[in-house]
Amino acid sequence: MTFFKRFLSTLVCAGLLTACNGQLDTRDEDNQAVLRLERSQIPAISVQLWSVNHTLKKDFKGTLEAISAMGFDAVEFAGDFGPYDNDPQGLKRYLESLGLEVSGAHVKMRDLTDDKFEKTVAFYQQLGSPMIIVPSDKRAEQAETIESFVAELNKVTIKMRDKGMRFGFHNHDRELVPYKNNTYWDYIAANTPEDFVLQLDVGWAQYAGKNPVAYINRYPNRTITTHFKAKYPATVTNKKPLIGQDITDWSAVIYANVTRGGTQWLVLEQEEYPDGLTQLEAVQVSKKGLDNIITRLTN
């Protein structure tokens, strides 16, 4: 039995294909009377491959087959290319055979320095990635280095623009702490050009006690890609880090993405695996939870 068939069999036997039809955040349900979108307005749905990092290492192709079967439109890379490490065009063809696009890639700033920039960007161009996102950087979290770091981001933005690609930064909770009467994230947003992508991570915003909808609305047309992660402060009880079983008002987030954010990709990311779920099983449950929310929002 192939990895893919074993995976589907496991889901069916565990009842996980319908596991996310249980408790939902009441705010999400209440907003259904107000928030409505057309199905055609919903951005494409991708998955950050860090969500299945260990599974990818064991079975790269089988994992991507399973992701395709879940109904994802695309994947966002995080440095693992399996047997295609030196063959981006071959990887692109393989993804196309599964009906998958590339929504973007997380790339460290150390791979975008002047001596590595051309090689790095050429790889992602051949892969078909429309953008490169820096996943984190300690300099973005410290008063002594934030200004020089933003200057470097702006330099790379110009170079990426010349290559016909978008460039941006992804937050954790660490960039959402106070800085100059606001936050480090706000400083980055205010001091980068309008085409610089602010990849808001909804889960980390919730964890930091921030309203993700407010951040999408504050910087219109800049959350071109948004990380959909179910996460919340440790003080929250009776919830699970699975979309539809957490605290986030996902309908409000999607509505803001569509009406204010200019969002092209909803990128599901799973970093916690409750109830003994495997990485793929947890992604499947969150994907089904997101599908249910979208259905209610568009019906």
Side-chain angles (χ1 to χ4, degrees):
M1 184 181 290
T2 66
F3 173 88
F4 173 52
K5 290 181 179 178
R6 290 198 305 272
F7 165 69
L8 285 182
S9 177
T10 300
L11 289 182
V12 172
C13 292
L16 292 171
L17 289 174
T18 57
C20 56
N21 290 323
Q23 182 180 10
L24 297 172
D25 189 85
T26 55
R27 291 173 301 167
D28 186 81
E29 292 174 342
D30 292 343
N31 276 340
Q32 299 308 302
V34 178
L35 304 180
R36 283 288 183 271
L37 292 170
E38 296 295 326
R39 186 62 183 84
S40 60
Q41 293 178 280
I42 302 299
I45 300 175
S46 180
V47 60
Q48 164 54 245
L49 290 179
W50 185 256
S51 307
V52 290
N53 55 349
H54 301 305
T55 313
L56 271 181
K57 290 186 183 304
K58 294 178 181 178
D59 186 347
F60 185 84
K61 289 189 173 182
T63 301
L64 289 175
E65 288 174 13
I67 285 170
S68 173
M70 293 180 198
F72 284 100
D73 301 302
V75 296
E76 181 181 70
F77 281 95
D80 189 342
F81 309 103
Y84 298 97
D85 197 49
N86 295 307
D87 185 13
Q89 292 179 330
L91 179 52
K92 181 181 179 181
R93 288 192 297 270
Y94 175 65
L95 291 171
E96 289 173 346
S97 75
L98 298 178
L100 293 170
E101 299 181 59
V102 179
S103 66
H106 276 193
V107 180
K108 294 285 189 180
M109 284 294 282
R110 63 172 176 261
D111 293 318
L112 294 168
T113 54
D114 288 341
D115 58 325
K116 297 179 180 179
F117 180 85
E118 292 295 334
K119 181 179 179 180
T120 298
V121 173
F123 180 92
Y124 289 103
Q125 282 182 317
Q126 293 176 68
L127 184 56
S129 178
M131 68 187 79
I132 286 176
I133 304 293
V134 176
S136 66
D137 196 297
K138 290 294 184 184
R139 293 172 294 173
E141 310 158 15
Q142 301 171 1
E144 297 80 8
T145 54
I146 182 66
E147 292 185 15
S148 60
F149 177 65
V150 169
E152 188 173 344
L153 289 177
N154 288 335
K155 176 183 174 182
V156 176
T157 299
I158 294 171
K159 296 172 69 175
M160 290 289 292
R161 191 185 297 147
D162 291 341
K163 296 290 186 179
M165 296 179 70
R166 301 291 293 266
F167 181 60
F169 190 74
H170 165 276
N171 71 281
H172 291 74
D173 59 316
R174 304 182 295 268
E175 297 88 4
L176 295 172
V177 300
Y179 176 70
K180 290 190 174 182
N181 299 318
N182 220 319
T183 68
Y184 287 103
W185 183 249
D186 290 287
Y187 181 85
I188 292 170
N191 291 279
T192 49
E194 290 296 312
D195 61 344
F196 182 84
V197 178
L198 301 171
Q199 187 181 56
L200 180 70
D201 188 301
V202 173
W204 281 116
Q206 293 280 27
Y207 184 82
K210 303 294 185 181
N211 181 354
V213 172
Y215 274 103
I216 295 169
N217 290 337
R218 187 177 303 172
Y219 303 109
N221 299 313
R222 297 190 66 183
T223 52
I224 303 302
T225 171
T226 306
H227 265 202
F228 273 40
K229 180 189 299 166
K231 195 172 182 67
Y232 39 79
T235 53
V236 173
T237 59
N238 299 319
K239 296 292 182 180
K240 294 182 180 182
L242 299 163
I243 293 178
Q245 301 180 46
D246 57 321
I247 68 170
T248 296
D249 185 346
W250 289 108
S251 291
V253 171
I254 296 170
Y255 190 84
N257 280 141
V258 170
T259 60
R260 295 283 289 173
T263 307
Q264 299 172 9
W265 298 100
L266 310 181
V267 184
L268 189 153
E269 183 176 36
Q270 193 74 37
E271 291 184 329
E272 298 177 73
Y273 314 94
D275 303 329
L277 297 176
T278 67
Q279 289 188 323
L280 277 171
E281 289 167 353
V283 168
Q284 172 75 20
V285 174
S286 280
K287 174 61 164 58
K288 292 290 288 185
L290 178 56
D291 288 343
N292 288 343
I293 291 164
I294 290 172
T295 295
R296 294 197 304 275
L297 184 60
T298 57
N299 284 344

